Amino acid sequence: MLELQHICFERENRKILDDVSLKLDENKFVAITGPNGSGKSTLVKIIMGIEKPDSGEIIFNGKNITDLSIDKRAKLGIGFAFQQPVKFKGITVYDLLKIAAQTDIKKKEACEILSRVGLCAKEYVDREVNGSLSGGELKRIEIASVVLREAKLTIFDEPEAGIDLWSFNNLIEVFENMRKMIKGITIIISHQEKILHIADEVILMRNGKIEQIGKSEEVLRKTVQVKKKCCKLNPKGGENK
């Protein structure tokens, strides 16, 4: 279980996170959405340990991890996938998967996991993790490494960023399958409705606060209502008088 208790984070006299509290149970596939600047990415960076909150606590499986380093959180089973997957010159996909698994897995096992994320294993297992791979290919290889880590909490920050439509549609299928493969909590930051519809719960953030938690249909309905209201109040982009 993951619990955030009264998390606050401020930079340059601006409240980025304002008293955020949240509780997520195991085996939940959760999406966080909201307008740019609402605090989504900062929130997951704080969970991972990339940023430290000004106040509040983070409890993971009964342990207070607020002051733990990224490495120590990773050892507890927290994994983070960046918007832009890291490239490693001279390291093959097979090497990367062995590092993720933290054991000397056989090539057959590596090929099996690549197949599960929609890649033709024979074509990719010996390729270098470099610029010759597309954004969609890198994302799926990264997901394969996340699956092998068997993390108790997995975080994806806008996994659809920088990939083409064909790769995005395939990525949706990968995430649908991932729900069955990964035990624990999965958190995805996304604006894409197709990803939000996969989630068990959707968290809507606005102005550094959690505005709503619910099913995707409920949250999307409220988002549309807010947009319509804003358009009526401000139809030409100027002040409503």
Side-chain angles (χ1 to χ4, degrees):
M1 184 182 74
L2 175 70
E3 186 174 0
L4 308 180
Q5 299 177 350
H6 307 292
I7 299 294
C8 294
F9 185 80
E10 186 174 309
R11 282 294 178 270
E12 298 178 356
N13 297 319
R14 186 173 77 87
K15 287 184 178 180
I16 299 173
L17 294 174
D18 186 6
D19 194 26
V20 173
S21 292
L22 176 66
K23 186 183 288 186
L24 298 177
D25 295 324
E26 288 185 6
N27 300 322
K28 285 284 186 179
F29 196 94
V30 179
I32 302 178
T33 193
N36 292 335
S38 59
K40 305 182 300 297
S41 291
T42 301
L43 183 64
V44 295
K45 285 177 182 177
I46 283 175
I47 294 170
M48 189 63 209
I50 296 170
E51 298 281 5
K52 186 176 179 180
D54 298 325
S55 61
E57 293 185 336
I58 306 162
I59 311 298
F60 181 58
N61 288 340
K63 183 180 179 67
N64 190 325
I65 64 169
T66 311
D67 296 320
L68 292 188
S69 65
I70 297 173
D71 290 346
K72 288 181 178 178
R73 294 185 199 209
K75 287 177 181 177
L76 288 175
I78 300 177
F80 187 84
F82 295 92
Q83 281 190 27
Q84 298 298 327
V86 181
K87 300 169 187 175
F88 301 93
K89 187 176 181 181
I91 293 180
T92 67
V93 172
Y94 179 42
D95 294 330
L96 184 64
L97 295 179
K98 285 194 291 184
I99 293 168
Q102 297 183 351
T103 184
D104 190 19
I105 62 171
K106 303 296 182 184
K107 261 193 183 178
K108 182 181 178 182
E109 295 174 84
C111 288
E112 285 174 358
I113 200 69
L114 288 172
S115 297
R116 285 165 71 183
V117 297
L119 293 174
C120 179
K122 289 183 180 179
E123 291 183 16
Y124 288 93
V125 72
D126 292 318
R127 284 183 65 175
E128 279 193 20
V129 186
N130 57 27
S132 69
L133 295 166
S134 71
E137 290 168 332
L138 285 168
K139 288 282 171 69
R140 278 185 270 181
I141 290 166
E142 186 174 44
I143 291 170
S145 68
V146 167
V147 172
L148 276 171
R149 281 185 215 125
E150 296 184 343
K152 296 173 184 175
L153 168 61
T154 308
I155 302 167
F156 291 92
D157 188 1
E158 295 193 29
E160 71 271 16
I163 64 173
D164 57 58
L165 181 61
W166 185 87
S167 296
F168 173 70
N169 288 332
N170 280 272
L171 196 66
I172 296 298
E173 293 181 20
V174 170
F175 279 125
E176 287 175 335
N177 291 329
M178 202 173 84
R179 288 183 67 185
K180 306 168 188 174
M181 290 189 281
I182 293 183
K183 294 179 181 179
I185 302 168
T186 301
I187 299 174
I188 298 183
I189 293 180
S190 182
H191 298 282
Q192 294 291 333
E193 286 190 25
K194 285 186 177 181
I195 290 180
L196 302 186
H197 282 306
I198 297 171
D200 298 312
E201 289 182 342
V202 176
I203 298 167
L204 174 63
M205 293 192 67
R206 198 182 302 275
N207 299 322
K209 292 179 176 289
I210 293 176
E211 188 170 284
Q212 185 182 8
I213 300 176
K215 298 293 183 182
S216 59
E217 293 81 5
E218 300 167 5
V219 175
L220 288 169
R221 192 182 307 121
K222 177 158 186 178
T223 304
V224 170
Q225 288 171 349
V226 169
K227 286 181 180 178
K228 286 182 178 178
K229 185 177 179 181
C230 290
C231 289
K232 287 180 180 178
L233 292 172
N234 196 4
K236 295 183 179 178
E239 183 182 356
N240 182 49
K241 298 180 181 178

